[in-house]
Amino acid sequence: MIDGIFVEGVGDALGIEVTAYSDLRELSAPNVTYVIAQEPAQAALKASYAVRAAVGTALGSVGVRKVHEDIGSVDIEDKPRDRRGEENYSLTDELLGRWLSAALCDGKTFKSLTPAQQSSLTAKGYMYVARLPITADFTGTVVRLP
């Protein structure tokens, strides 16, 4: 039995307005999550990364959490050893320069998305990375709810 499958969104394929994205909730694939999150610094390393989504981040975020924990939560029960002294377990790592900003896999920055576009992504079941209003850090956001 498979608990879940992460499918990587590829930016060139999404060359449309965010509010015009397909509604994934209309599909009958409840264990499939379509990841469109992108870490801009990573995407800038190679031309081939520019349109790729951060599926590895999604997999790592699931792997570090217990089954009952939300992948988007920054308050997890057992933080990895090197993050135990931190109050929050977010994607942002200033020392390593990771997730200092976030984008969709087509390069649209999270900062440029309007509240209506964010709501559209959430309502249609896409997984993207968002900034929590209570912190300056980025967190993975699960937008595909049961």
Side-chain angles (χ1 to χ4, degrees):
M1 178 178 205
I2 296 175
D3 292 331
I5 297 171
F6 290 102
V7 176
E8 178 186 23
V10 180
D12 283 345
L14 299 175
I16 56 175
E17 169 56 39
V18 171
T19 54
Y21 283 11
S22 299
D23 188 344
L24 300 178
R25 295 182 194 274
E26 293 177 356
L27 304 175
S28 60
N31 294 348
V32 175
T33 301
Y34 196 70
V35 180
I36 59 172
Q38 183 186 78
E39 203 274 281
Q42 186 71 27
L45 294 177
K46 281 185 171 180
S48 61
Y49 295 170
V51 295
R52 308 310 297 216
V55 174
T57 297
L59 291 170
S61 293
V62 168
V64 75
R65 287 166 172 79
K66 295 189 185 242
V67 174
H68 63 275
E69 293 182 295
D70 186 323
I71 189 175
S73 175
V74 295
D75 184 21
I76 66 173
E77 290 181 21
D78 293 319
K79 294 181 181 102
R81 183 182 310 255
D82 61 336
R83 301 282 300 269
R84 288 189 182 152
E86 298 176 24
E87 184 177 344
N88 293 320
Y89 182 73
S90 72
L91 296 177
T92 302
D93 187 326
E94 290 185 23
L95 184 62
L96 296 175
R98 293 186 182 143
W99 289 102
L100 302 179
S101 63
L104 305 183
C105 58
D106 63 0
K108 287 182 188 81
T109 63
F110 173 75
K111 196 175 190 177
S112 73
L113 297 176
T114 66
Q117 289 172 319
Q118 293 171 35
S119 294
S120 177
L121 289 172
T122 301
K124 292 178 179 178
Y126 290 87
M127 180 184 280
Y128 60 103
V129 172
R131 183 179 297 276
L132 287 175
I134 57 170
T135 73
D137 296 337
F138 285 94
T139 181
T141 299
V142 175
V143 293
R144 199 176 61 64
L145 302 173

